């Protein structure tokens, strides 16, 4: 199974920390921080806890340190400006905590108006996910 950092999980985290869900979902960095941690940990609750500890208490957890020493690269493929902004804010927060991380946002939408908005926050914008993935693999050699 793949860990999912959904709105419901963010609602749980917000309740655990006496916050509103609006404090934790995009464009807030919390959901992105949790997703980054979940990608490494492959579990949701510890990832949510790591994210909220960094956001609420400025306490960086080992999962983020491990990611920074591995590749330090965070890539998001997103159809919303809020999602890309959240990931970029999460990377900034991690870097402010002394890590060296790089964030890249791929905007994906076939709607011209959305593409225009995505250009303001994304590093690259594509009309479909396959084109975005092809570009990612071609440019990174991954």
């Amino acid at each position: 199974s793949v860990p999912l950092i959904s709105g419901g999980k963010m609602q749980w985290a917000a309740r655990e920390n006496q916050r509103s869900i609006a404090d934790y979902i995009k464009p807030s960095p919390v959901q992105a921080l949790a997703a980054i941690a979940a990608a490494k940990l492959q579990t949701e609750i510890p990832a949510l806890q790591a994210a909220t500890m960094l956001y609420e208490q400025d306490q960086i957890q080992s999962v983020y340190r491990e990611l920074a020493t591995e590749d330090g690269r965070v890539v998001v493929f997103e159809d919303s400006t809020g999602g890309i902004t959240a990931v970029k804010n999460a990377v900034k927060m991690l870097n402010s905590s002394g890590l060296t991380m790089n964030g890249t946002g791929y905007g994906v939408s076939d709607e011209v108006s959305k593409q225009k908005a995505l250009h303001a926050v994304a590093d690259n914008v594509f009309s479909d996910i396959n084109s975005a993935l092809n570009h990612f693999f071609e440019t990174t050699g991954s």
Side-chain angles (χ1 to χ4, degrees):
S1 74
V2 176
L4 180 63
I5 304 300
S6 63
K9 294 292 182 341
M10 297 312 302
Q11 189 170 20
W12 174 86
R15 205 171 32 248
E16 288 290 304
N17 291 282
Q18 292 82 45
R19 289 285 201 149
S20 159
I21 189 170
D23 294 327
Y24 281 4
I25 59 172
K26 49 190 174 183
S28 164
V30 179
Q31 189 169 11
L33 287 166
I36 292 165
K40 173 69 176 171
L41 295 171
Q42 291 299 298
T43 186
E44 297 157 349
I45 299 301
L48 291 162
Q49 292 167 330
T52 57
M53 288 187 74
L54 179 56
Y55 184 75
E56 297 292 346
Q57 302 170 25
D58 201 26
Q59 292 181 9
I60 188 104
Q61 301 301 296
S62 62
V63 63
Y64 299 118
R65 286 192 190 95
E66 291 169 19
L67 285 167
T69 60
E70 289 174 8
D71 184 319
R73 177 173 46 175
V74 177
V75 180
V76 61
F77 296 86
E78 177 67 71
D79 70 341
S80 76
T81 58
I84 293 172
T85 300
V87 170
K88 290 193 171 197
N89 287 339
V91 169
K92 284 179 189 174
M93 183 173 266
L94 292 166
N95 287 336
S96 293
S97 296
L99 304 179
T100 303
M101 305 284 285
N102 296 302
T104 304
Y106 284 81
V108 180
S109 179
D110 62 354
E111 295 178 29
V112 175
S113 61
K114 255 189 161 177
Q115 287 176 353
K116 185 176 181 178
L118 287 165
H119 275 292
V121 296
D123 299 290
N124 300 283
V125 177
F126 295 90
S127 61
D128 64 88
I129 189 64
N130 291 326
S131 298
L133 288 168
N134 286 336
H135 182 269
F136 170 76
F137 290 123
E138 289 170 4
T139 59
T140 63
S142 297

